[in-house]
Amino acid sequence: MPITLEKTDQINLLYISYYWPPSGGPGVQRGLKFCKYLPQSGVQPSVLTVDEKQASYPVLDHTFASEVPEGTAVYRTATSEPFEYYKKLSGKKEIPYSGFANEEAKTGFLDKVFKFVRGNLFIPDARVGWNKHALKKADELLKDGHFQAILTTSPPHSTQLIGLKLKEKHGLPWIADLRDPWTNIHYYDQLYHTPIARRIDRNYELHVLERADAVIVTSEDTKRLFLNKPAKIDPDKIHVIPNGYDEDDFIYPSTPPQDEFLITYTGTITENYNIDVFLKVISQLRSVNSDIRYKLRFVGKVSEGVKQRISKAGLEGITEFVPHVPHTEAIKYLMESTMLLMAIADVPAVYSNVPGKLFEYLASNKPIICLGPVHSDTDRIIDECGAGRLFHYTAHELMLDHMMLMSKAWTINPNLDLPYLNHAQFSRRELTEKLARVVKRLVVKAARV
């Protein structure tokens, strides 16, 4: 159906996302915040998602439901997924986290079998069973010409195949938002793909990159990664819109403890996140600065392998583990900290990994200590914002010197909050306005055809 658009018209966008409240975790936040602020830019999203009673959500956060703007249409469909069978056969109660954070460091034969099955029988991923249900509902929603554009967001990357089919059938402008790399994601090799499975998955990825009218990525390096693939991709159609922070979330005052040097990490952390040098530095600081009470706090999912490393470093007694909490509570933990710890997975293609938590760390105005690749996008952002330091995984002496200086400053004033950070460009409002401009350009272009 041809698109008609007047200058004063509101654009109606069909926003297709597997993750939606009551899902928790970082995956849901990007879409939720976009949908919160898009109407302010003249784009009205309607959300197509999975039935919450059938969805395979690793974590839940019911507080997110309050952020869905009043009047936002949310359409939910059934799904067909293997995770219930996985739990029954494996004896595990949890859905696998991204990066397998809730699985043991040393997996047994049965775990490898399950990963092999997931990597070879469910391509691109085990949530592909939602596609047929979502496509049926999307066809119903698109038949009357109410929508002028479609956006699909992933992971799960199987969601992008929904957009691909809708583009072929309906011809509407289609935006593919890829929050993470696809076949270059850091845990890809853990799925034991056969050569044919890799080829099928790679072809899916290339078809999406080639046929989407616009591709949104979260970092400059992810854009470079996609442009280096053997696909015919116009560089101008790939837009970098990073994750960000929502000013509305920061309702708590900064209250760093006065009697202890508290370093907080929020989110998922697995063995791939190499924090060994940091743990060694904290152990040394405790010996040198016996008058300072150091404390580590991990809020979220921590793999058993990381817990073992903490214990081996002799830091178990000063470490607090807080299970997954609602997002608002995680923000409160940030504001009650002295410093914030961040780590980037020590794996190939790591330069494209800009953790979503970085931007909320920035908004907290707390000094950040990060372990990751130097000269990466994350390194650049931390440096440009004056928000702390990123150290290579092996930079022991540099990190020790830095933490000695921070410790000395703490003895003078236990509030190490930074006076000013240049991070306004990462607010969710600003980032959503960038997305709205992409949507509008595509719709106007389609209306002229």
Side-chain angles (χ1 to χ4, degrees):
M1 182 177 293
I3 297 173
T4 58
L5 183 70
E6 299 295 333
K7 290 184 179 179
T8 56
D9 280 352
Q10 171 184 266
I11 293 173
N12 293 309
L13 173 71
L14 182 58
Y15 197 104
I16 303 176
S17 175
Y18 183 93
Y19 292 108
W20 191 254
S23 172
V28 70
Q29 292 179 46
R30 182 175 173 88
L32 178 61
K33 302 299 186 179
F34 278 154
C35 290
K36 176 180 178 180
Y37 291 115
L38 275 171
Q40 298 179 13
S41 300
V43 178
Q44 180 59 51
S46 296
V47 179
L48 175 57
T49 189
V50 64
D51 184 342
E52 61 191 79
K53 295 179 182 178
Q54 300 184 43
S56 302
Y57 294 150
V59 293
L60 298 175
D61 189 338
H62 292 280
T63 64
F64 281 146
S66 64
E67 295 193 48
V68 179
E70 186 176 350
T72 302
V74 179
Y75 304 95
R76 297 184 182 273
T77 77
T79 186
S80 305
E81 298 174 32
F83 287 110
E84 284 304 315
Y85 299 102
Y86 165 82
K87 289 194 289 186
K88 289 177 182 178
L89 292 172
S90 67
K92 299 180 179 180
K93 298 180 180 181
E94 295 179 306
I95 299 297
Y97 278 54
S98 173
F100 312 107
N102 53 342
E103 298 188 10
E104 298 295 333
K106 295 181 179 180
T107 56
F109 175 75
L110 190 59
D111 292 299
K112 292 180 179 179
V113 169
F114 283 126
K115 289 182 180 180
F116 177 87
V117 169
R118 285 162 62 187
N120 292 279
L121 298 186
F122 301 96
I123 305 172
D125 51 67
R127 291 174 175 85
V128 70
W130 179 52
N131 286 24
K132 62 182 179 181
H133 303 276
L135 281 166
K136 181 180 178 181
K137 185 62 179 180
D139 282 335
E140 294 176 10
L141 295 172
L142 295 174
K143 66 183 179 182
D144 64 358
H146 175 71
F147 294 97
Q148 289 84 46
I150 300 165
L151 186 149
T152 48
T153 184
S154 64
H157 292 310
S158 53
T159 305
Q160 301 299 348
L161 304 185
I162 299 171
L164 188 62
K165 286 189 177 294
L166 293 177
K167 176 66 179 178
E168 293 171 353
K169 185 171 183 179
H170 298 275
L172 290 175
W174 166 41
I175 301 161
D177 175 43
L178 290 101
R179 305 188 305 271
D180 290 330
W182 191 323
T183 57
N184 299 94
I185 193 70
H186 64 84
Y187 53 81
Y188 196 73
D189 288 341
Q190 295 182 44
L191 292 169
Y192 306 111
H193 293 92
T194 62
I196 190 170
R198 283 182 178 271
R199 185 164 62 250
I200 292 170
D201 204 14
R202 185 173 63 249
N203 286 339
Y204 280 152
E205 177 185 36
L206 296 181
H207 288 160
V208 167
L209 294 174
E210 289 177 344
R211 298 177 190 178
D213 295 286
V215 175
I216 308 294
V217 295
T218 59
S219 72
E220 291 288 347
D221 201 73
T222 302
K223 178 176 180 176
R224 291 189 288 269
L225 186 154
F226 284 151
L227 288 176
N228 284 331
K229 291 182 177 293
K232 299 176 182 177
I233 308 171
D234 179 2
D236 292 334
K237 81 173 186 179
I238 301 185
H239 307 269
V240 179
I241 303 180
N243 290 304
Y245 67 92
D246 188 348
E247 298 96 328
D248 292 350
D249 292 339
F250 287 80
I251 58 176
Y252 304 104
S254 176
T255 55
Q258 303 297 298
D259 59 346
E260 61 185 8
F261 194 112
L262 174 56
I263 304 173
T264 297
Y265 179 101
T266 62
T268 299
I269 185 167
T270 71
E271 289 86 329
N272 286 332
Y273 295 73
N274 184 355
I275 62 170
D276 288 352
V277 164
F278 169 78
L279 298 177
K280 181 179 180 181
V281 165
I282 298 301
S283 181
Q284 290 176 291
L285 289 173
R286 294 182 70 207
S287 298
V288 175
N289 301 322
S290 57
D291 56 328
I292 299 178
R293 290 177 54 202
Y294 293 95
K295 180 179 178 180
L296 305 181
R297 180 169 62 195
F298 291 83
V299 182
K301 187 65 184 181
V302 181
S303 70
E304 287 302 318
V306 172
K307 290 181 178 180
Q308 290 168 13
R309 291 180 180 180
I310 293 170
S311 179
K312 185 177 180 180
L315 302 177
E316 190 173 21
I318 66 162
T319 303
E320 177 186 9
F321 297 103
V322 180
H324 174 79
V325 297
H327 180 245
T328 53
E329 194 172 337
I331 297 293
K332 190 171 186 289
Y333 278 116
L334 295 182
M335 303 307 292
E336 295 172 346
S337 304
T338 307
M339 288 185 69
L340 303 178
L341 169 66
M342 189 167 67
I344 299 174
D346 187 8
V347 293
V350 71
Y351 280 82
S352 61
N353 187 349
V354 179
K357 70 169 67 69
L358 168 61
F359 306 100
E360 293 187 334
Y361 277 24
L362 294 177
S364 74
N365 284 352
K366 303 288 180 178
I368 299 168
I369 182 167
C370 179
L371 291 96
V374 295
H375 307 306
S376 62
D377 288 334
T378 299
D379 189 9
R380 174 183 56 81
I381 292 170
I382 292 175
D383 183 60
E384 289 179 357
C385 292
R389 291 281 302 274
L390 180 145
F391 297 93
H392 189 266
Y393 309 101
T394 60
H396 171 258
E397 293 300 325
L398 288 174
M399 188 184 299
L400 179 60
D401 289 344
H402 176 70
M403 289 304 296
M404 284 292 291
L405 289 173
M406 298 301 291
S407 298
K408 184 176 181 179
W410 184 86
T411 62
I412 300 171
N413 182 356
N415 187 342
L416 298 182
D417 288 6
L418 300 167
Y420 172 76
L421 290 182
N422 180 27
H423 53 55
Q425 71 269 33
F426 300 117
S427 75
R428 295 287 189 180
R429 267 191 196 86
E430 293 291 328
L431 297 170
T432 302
E433 177 59 33
K434 292 179 67 174
L435 173 61
R437 288 197 293 268
V438 174
V439 174
K440 290 175 181 178
R441 281 198 297 268
L442 291 179
V443 172
V444 169
K445 181 179 178 181
R448 291 172 178 167
V449 176

